[in-house]
Amino acid sequence: MDPTGGDTALRKKTFAALAGTYGILFLLTTAWTAWQIATHGAANVSAPVFPAMALGALVGVVVIRIRGNRQGQATLATALAAIVSFAAVAAAGLWGWFIVAG
């Protein structure tokens, strides 16, 4: 750890950059999917895989931020938690799409 707080500042900037990137990606892909549904109808639009993946990635970044700066086995647990949350959110989003779209 940097005693001047530089390490903490870098982690905050990295989190803001990743969260912002995945947030913007989620909004863009969701808007694109909504436009496709509005112009072509839900029956003619493929499943919103990219919005689901972007939201899953955003949640994964948040999980990593919440678990903080850990060492050793906790680092592996944080990575696994991020992977599981990414997969769960993406799967839940797609499951919801298929339930609503029929």
Side-chain angles (χ1 to χ4, degrees):
M1 292 284 292
D2 183 8
T4 63
D7 188 42
T8 302
L10 181 61
R11 283 187 295 166
K12 287 180 180 180
K13 288 178 183 178
T14 302
F15 170 72
L18 287 173
T21 300
Y22 287 126
I24 290 169
L25 183 62
F26 173 70
L27 291 176
L28 289 175
T29 57
T30 300
W32 174 253
T33 302
W35 177 80
Q36 287 182 331
I37 290 170
T39 56
H40 304 297
N44 298 320
V45 176
S46 61
V49 174
F50 291 118
M53 289 174 47
L55 184 60
L58 180 59
V59 170
V61 169
V62 172
V63 166
I64 290 172
R65 176 69 176 136
I66 289 171
R67 291 199 41 100
N69 186 19
R70 293 193 162 77
Q71 302 294 324
Q73 292 293 332
T75 303
L76 178 60
T78 299
L80 291 175
I83 291 167
V84 168
S85 66
F86 165 77
V89 170
L94 292 175
W95 178 78
W97 166 262
F98 288 117
I99 293 298
V100 171

